[in-house]
Amino acid sequence: MREYLKFYIDGEWVDPVELKTLDVENPATEEVVGKIALGSAADVDKAVMAARRAFPAWSQTSREERLEVLQRILAEYQKRFGDLAVAVTEEMGAPASLAQRAQVPAGMGHLATAANILKDFKFEEDRGETLIVKEPIGVCSFITPWNWPLNQIACKVAPAIATGCTMVLKPSEVAPFSGHIFAEIMHAAGVPAGVFNMVHGDGPGVGVALSVHPEVDMVSFTGSTRAGIEVAKNAAPGVKRVHQELGGKSPNIVLDDDAFSKSVARGVMHVMNNSGQSCNAPTRMLVPSKRMDEAMAVAKATAEQVTVGDPNGNFNMGPVVSKLQWEKIQALIQKGIDEGATLVVGGTGRPEGLEKGHFVKPTVFGNVKNDMTIAREEIFGPVLSILGYESLDQAIAIGNDTEYGLAGYVNGADLAKARDVARKIRAGQVSINGASDMTAPFGGYKKSGNGREWGDYAFHEFLETKAIMGYAPKAAE
């Protein structure tokens, strides 16, 4: 039983102003496996003011000093790799293999990437007599989700450290263990007091306080679009910078060519990864209408190969994170059935043989229309909708007919055609044939958010731009 009843503020582990606790459940067993303290506005104030005090000195550190700190964080993170993997599996149900192969390495990747970029990043630019300077924005508050907890913590913390910002982190209260260990890593790495602070809590108690605090210069939030809108409203009176990475309903356009079966199978497996709990999951697959039956057959065969069970066992897929998520997914699966989509595989209820835990059947619908609920709403579970198209122009139009724009996918043998389709998808990141890149900017159009994370684009989110005119006056002739 884990007990994380302290917060990390100003370089020390401190007690909450008032102790209130929250039980943390293992979604695979539905048993309580830990307890955290729930913070309040008073705890947030202590953490923010620590970050504010630390900012003047930290913001003036050299590139070399910040690089050394990042490298120490990375070294300590690697030491705790196993602890982090166990924590992620326990708190949000990721299969142990996924935790070790992707969940924990994602955080490590962002730390290493930020260090590499920092080595050569241009913070100053001469423009004649004027000097353009990129300076750290100040105190940042980070509100992170439970689905890829270390990925989302590290992709905010790493560029903030690199650019000279100070920060307060609120990990998800649903999956707080890995965030707590991350704070232990920051302490072990000797990050200067006040530069990094961590307060556990929920949205109303801590998230709101981090959004409205007058000494916070920037709020970076990852989560649902609904919650992101509230964060932006709370931040607006302070005219803070607000960065958001929100929901998605990403199209996956499968081309009509010899790679069709392989493309469909790849798309199915991508949706099932992490139990479908990825904001950029390709949950709307678009196939030529004349090949709908073929697509459904391939999707059925592929989904039936996905094994579901104990995340510490040899299974492809664990549970979804909570009873609340499970019930939402079940309701949307039923909605798909009620609205007339063809249930290809899966459906409501737990997979056979699983009597407890928040497990969902890998589910595929065919003959889906883009006005159906399952094609419009983000399900955030292992549920794929297959839609038909008559032409590529229609596929692109359907793909873009969504309030989201986080990601898009194109799969097929004809690279020239795939490139053309990718250019026309209205989304922040488009992948051709399963390609990925940790240095590529990640973020959304429309209601999928604003701003970008990952790589050098993330640095710019944490910087203000100053123009110093007359910095290099021309010599008198």
Side-chain angles (χ1 to χ4, degrees), residues 108-438:
M108 202 159 60
H110 289 301
L111 290 164
T113 297
N116 285 332
I117 289 166
L118 178 58
K119 291 174 185 175
D120 300 309
F121 189 83
K122 288 182 168 41
F123 289 97
E124 296 184 358
E125 176 192 351
D126 290 312
R127 287 193 182 179
E129 296 185 24
T130 299
L131 180 69
I132 309 296
V133 182
K134 297 284 190 177
E135 297 184 336
I137 193 169
V139 176
C140 305
S141 58
F142 298 151
I143 303 170
T144 59
W146 45 260
N147 59 322
W148 287 90
L150 290 162
N151 177 77
Q152 289 308 130
I153 289 171
C155 78
K156 298 179 193 299
V157 170
I161 291 285
T163 54
C165 293
T166 59
M167 66 214 74
V168 181
L169 167 70
K170 185 197 91 66
S172 169
E173 73 276 19
V174 177
F177 299 158
S178 55
H180 195 94
I181 295 171
F182 189 90
E184 293 176 351
I185 288 167
M186 298 294 276
H187 183 72
V191 176
V195 170
F196 172 87
N197 305 273
M198 188 276 297
V199 177
H200 286 301
D202 57 19
V206 174
V208 171
L210 283 171
S211 303
V212 304
H213 200 289
E215 292 293 336
V216 168
D217 300 294
M218 172 185 173
V219 184
S220 182
F221 171 83
T222 300
S224 70
T225 297
R226 175 196 55 77
I229 290 168
E230 291 306 309
V231 167
K233 287 179 179 177
N234 291 331
V239 200
K240 296 173 172 54
R241 183 177 299 177
V242 178
H243 166 265
Q244 300 168 314
E245 193 260 283
L246 308 175
K249 194 70 181 176
S250 302
N252 177 12
I253 298 176
V254 178
L255 304 183
D256 185 6
D257 57 31
D258 293 342
F260 186 78
S261 293
K262 181 180 178 182
S263 297
V264 170
R266 179 192 289 129
V268 172
M269 292 307 294
H270 194 155
V271 170
M272 303 308 162
N273 186 46
N274 205 41
S275 301
Q277 299 171 125
S278 299
C279 45
N280 62 343
T283 50
R284 289 184 301 143
M285 180 183 290
L286 291 103
V287 303
S289 297
K290 64 185 180 184
R291 301 185 77 167
M292 176 62 73
D293 289 346
E294 184 183 349
M296 290 194 294
V298 173
K300 184 176 190 293
T302 305
E304 285 176 342
Q305 297 301 309
V306 177
T307 57
V308 185
D310 178 0
N312 287 303
N314 189 26
F315 296 94
N316 305 124
M317 211 171 84
V320 295
V321 77
S322 67
K323 183 179 181 182
L324 184 68
Q325 285 296 121
W326 189 88
E327 290 175 344
K328 177 194 170 191
I329 295 163
Q330 298 302 310
L332 284 164
I333 292 173
Q334 187 60 52
K335 195 80 170 173
I337 296 168
D338 295 344
E339 291 185 358
T342 302
L343 181 63
V344 176
V345 65
T348 57
R350 291 188 182 91
E352 188 175 345
L354 294 170
E355 304 303 321
K356 64 178 179 178
H358 308 308
F359 295 96
V360 177
K361 297 174 184 175
T363 298
V364 176
F365 285 99
N367 294 308
V368 176
K369 306 301 180 189
N370 208 40
D371 60 355
M372 291 180 177
T373 304
I374 56 171
R376 308 305 296 179
E377 291 191 20
E378 185 177 35
I379 298 173
F380 226 62
V383 182
L384 170 65
S385 298
I386 307 179
L387 301 84
Y389 67 82
E390 301 302 326
S391 67
L392 275 179
D393 285 344
Q394 186 189 37
I396 293 161
I398 293 170
N400 289 335
D401 181 16
T402 172
E403 65 181 13
Y404 297 111
L406 185 60
Y409 301 81
V410 189
N411 283 276
D414 188 334
L415 182 58
K417 190 176 289 184
R419 285 170 172 167
D420 182 61
V421 171
R423 286 180 176 275
K424 294 172 181 174
I425 294 174
R426 296 278 297 164
Q429 194 175 82
V430 182
S431 171
I432 297 174
N433 291 328
S436 62
D437 179 359
M438 282 201 81

